[in-house]
Amino acid sequence: MESRRIELQHVNVKLLVRNPEEVDLEPLIPIFHDWIQNQVGEGLLLDVADYRHVDAGPGVVLIGHEGNYSVDNTDNRLGVRYNRKAPLDGSNQDRLKQAARAALTACQRLEADPRLGGKLRFNGQEIEIFINDRMVAPNSDATREAFDSDFKAFFEKMFRLREYSMLYDSDPRKLFTLSVKAAHPFSTADLLENLD
């Protein structure tokens, strides 16, 4: 299995937030409705779904045609998540970059929105990647081996060759998941600049 022959699709990127216990998700509903009205972000934005009542669930989701944005609390790990739904042309690096840029840009907008009172902030170090395609990327050793070099190349660029660690979730019942932690914090602006 060679990573350059297998295409990563449906890439999800989640940026974990600092002080999640201080974040109130209610203001996200009007914020996301404003994003729809002004068509802010990548792709066509369509609707907002409120899952705040679901414990350790998807939180508040901004539904788009090409991808969804959310402030997601899956596994009690609150973060800003971008979920690419539509296939994307290009290389695996291109698809990782598109999803990371979408998540970082959304997070940056939320960090700056006064309705959130400055409480929703990327923690600067922790990022999760999910591949929402069990046919292409089952959560297995073979998938980890196939894509490991793609992820390492991507995060070396994103973190500018600074020290970081990668941990794969081995539970076969879950989506293919990679947790990455930088040794030193970065801002969303720093990471966006590093992607370019």
Side-chain angles (χ1 to χ4, degrees):
M1 195 184 256
E2 294 180 32
S3 60
R4 58 185 175 271
R5 290 187 183 171
I6 301 171
E7 292 189 358
L8 285 170
Q9 292 287 358
H10 310 292
V11 176
N12 286 222
V13 174
K14 180 175 177 179
L15 309 170
L16 297 182
V17 302
R18 182 186 313 151
N19 302 325
E21 66 284 351
E22 295 180 11
V23 178
D24 180 7
L25 300 185
E26 189 168 351
L28 290 166
I29 297 168
I31 289 169
F32 283 163
H33 279 293
D34 286 350
W35 289 19
I36 293 170
Q37 185 174 355
N38 298 309
Q39 285 302 303
V40 172
E42 289 191 30
L44 178 64
L45 302 177
L46 303 168
D47 201 1
V48 178
D50 182 0
Y51 295 103
R52 289 176 297 156
H53 61 283
V54 179
D55 187 44
V60 179
V61 183
L62 172 58
I63 299 165
H65 183 262
E66 294 83 2
N68 296 342
Y69 297 88
S70 61
V71 177
D72 171 278
N73 197 34
T74 301
D75 296 328
N76 287 308
R77 291 172 61 82
L78 190 68
V80 176
R81 182 172 181 167
Y82 174 75
N83 169 15
R84 178 73 187 192
K85 299 189 297 187
L88 188 68
D89 291 334
S91 67
N92 287 341
Q93 293 302 306
D94 294 332
R95 288 184 280 273
L96 288 166
K97 184 176 177 181
Q98 182 276 330
R101 180 179 280 115
L104 286 162
T105 302
C107 190
Q108 201 171 47
R109 282 191 191 101
L110 293 170
E111 287 174 333
D113 196 302
R115 291 171 283 188
L116 292 166
K119 292 183 178 173
L120 194 152
R121 295 244 171 253
F122 172 46
N123 72 14
Q125 294 181 279
E126 293 178 273
I127 299 172
E128 294 178 345
I129 303 280
F130 309 88
I131 306 303
N132 196 3
D133 189 331
R134 292 179 193 270
M135 292 294 291
V136 170
N139 199 6
S140 67
D141 290 339
T143 304
R144 288 186 278 285
E145 289 171 17
F147 295 121
D148 191 65
S149 61
D150 283 311
F151 291 123
K152 285 179 179 171
F154 180 73
F155 284 108
E156 283 172 10
K157 181 174 183 177
M158 183 179 249
F159 296 135
R160 291 196 174 184
L161 300 175
R162 293 194 182 141
E163 188 180 341
Y164 67 93
S165 61
M166 296 188 344
L167 179 65
Y168 290 101
D169 187 321
S170 60
D171 185 343
R173 297 168 298 175
K174 292 187 175 182
L175 292 176
F176 178 76
T177 304
L178 168 64
S179 298
V180 182
K181 185 169 185 177
H184 305 285
F186 289 83
S187 70
T188 51
D190 290 337
L191 294 177
L192 281 166
E193 184 179 333
N194 294 351
L195 286 177
D196 296 329

